[in-house]
Amino acid sequence: MSSAAEYWKRRRGFILAAIGSAIGLGNIWRFSWLCYRNGGGAFLVPYIIFLLIFGIPLLVLEFMLGHYFSGSSPKVFRKIKESLEPLGWLATINVFIIGTYYSVVLAWAMDYIGYSAVVAWKTVEGVGPTFDSMISNPAIVIVGLIITWLIVWITNFTGVASGIERACTYAIPLLWVLSAVLVIRGLTLPGSDIGINWLLTPSAQAFSGSALIDAAGQILFTLSVFASTMIAYASYLPPKSEIPNSAWITAFANCGFSFFFAFATWGIIGYLM
């Protein structure tokens, strides 16, 4: 719940934080998998349609609710109607569950940093055993978890502007830079064109019932709607903030990242094929 005195310093900081909340593993792996499974490049058609029909409108709604009522999801729904407060708590529980498993994934990333520093694997054959030994060692995972939660705690403890906004100002551009490195590497690997062709080759399957459901589900999942985060972030917007344009930027940056990173994913898969 926001305090009356604390706001985002810049609109850019809010947008970067919202983008950071939206972009996740679903952008990196799930989008590429759904795109391939449901008609390749043609899957982008229902994906973009659902983005425009209800993805962006729902994001605008969450931004507006958080900004207008200046509170967390339970408070917002309680102010709308007291009997709706449980919906806010469901959203809060949802983001708590997401945070518990994402923290483990981040712990693996922290451990990878340490492993990479000592060149834990030098050949393709060394990747699997090293990964298995890492994730099966509770002590190593716990160390990664401690580092992850410590960073999260420090970021939140220092506040919205000095913590979350400052972290996202550097972290989100860095994410795009590192992703660009992977995309360039993926596209320059031998055989990458095989994977890219598999990704972009259109098929009528993109308009099947299952594909439409997948596209709609991916939009809801990737934009973090009904996850309480967007409402909470918007509650720290200063009065008379620009809402719709911020939602459009957030949505297109998020979905654009999915398509952009797909070239890294399928370039590497083409190389492995």
Side-chain angles (χ1 to χ4, degrees):
M1 187 179 300
S2 62
S3 64
E6 189 170 20
Y7 298 116
W8 301 98
K9 283 185 178 180
R10 300 176 184 85
R11 176 168 168 256
R12 178 187 64 190
F14 163 70
I15 292 175
L16 287 174
I19 292 172
S21 173
I23 292 178
L25 290 177
N27 301 73
I28 295 175
W29 291 113
R30 194 171 188 270
F31 172 82
S32 293
W33 169 61
L34 290 177
C35 197
Y36 165 70
R37 189 177 76 166
N38 293 296
F43 178 72
L44 293 174
V45 177
Y47 180 78
I48 294 174
I49 290 174
F50 287 133
L51 170 66
L52 297 175
I53 290 178
F54 61 78
I56 293 175
L58 284 175
L59 194 59
V60 172
L61 176 62
E62 292 212 350
F63 282 175
M64 291 180 68
L65 288 175
H67 184 230
Y68 181 78
F69 291 108
S70 298
S72 60
S73 288
K75 178 181 177 181
V76 166
F77 282 98
R78 184 174 68 249
K79 283 189 172 183
I80 295 173
K81 190 175 182 180
E82 193 168 339
S83 61
L84 295 178
E85 183 178 348
L87 291 177
W89 285 111
L90 282 175
T92 304
I93 293 171
N94 176 41
V95 77
F96 171 78
I97 294 173
I98 291 173
T100 56
Y101 74 75
Y102 256 97
S103 62
V104 177
V105 175
L106 289 173
W108 292 343
M110 293 295 174
D111 294 332
Y112 267 129
I113 293 173
Y115 273 70
S116 299
V118 295
V119 192
W121 51 75
K122 296 183 179 180
T123 62
V124 175
E125 292 75 16
V127 175
T130 303
F131 178 76
D132 292 339
S133 65
M134 185 189 77
I135 63 176
S136 62
N137 190 325
I140 294 176
V141 177
I142 289 174
V143 170
L145 273 173
I146 292 173
I147 297 172
T148 298
W149 282 113
L150 183 61
I151 294 173
V152 171
W153 180 81
I154 292 174
T155 303
N156 284 276
F157 180 78
T158 49
V160 173
S162 300
I164 299 174
E165 181 174 350
R166 179 177 295 177
C168 291
T169 299
Y170 295 101
I172 303 307
L174 179 61
L175 171 66
W176 280 88
V177 171
L178 294 178
S179 299
V181 172
L182 290 175
V183 168
I184 293 171
R185 178 57 176 160
L187 291 176
T188 55
L189 288 171
S192 63
D193 58 308
I194 300 175
I196 300 302
N197 287 335
W198 277 45
L199 170 68
L200 298 180
T201 301
S203 166
Q205 185 182 352
F207 300 98
S208 65
S210 61
L212 295 176
I213 293 174
D214 282 344
Q218 178 66 8
I219 287 297
L220 294 174
F221 178 77
T222 193
L223 292 181
S224 294
V225 293
F226 199 65
S228 78
T229 310
M230 297 305 189
I231 289 178
Y233 279 173
S235 69
Y236 292 97
L237 284 169
K240 298 182 180 179
S241 293
E242 214 293 324
I243 298 293
N245 194 35
S246 297
W248 280 83
I249 294 173
T250 300
F252 277 106
N254 169 76
C255 295
F257 179 85
S258 297
F259 184 67
F260 176 68
F261 199 88
F263 287 91
T265 304
W266 283 97
I268 295 172
I269 291 175
Y271 166 71
L272 295 176
M273 291 169 62

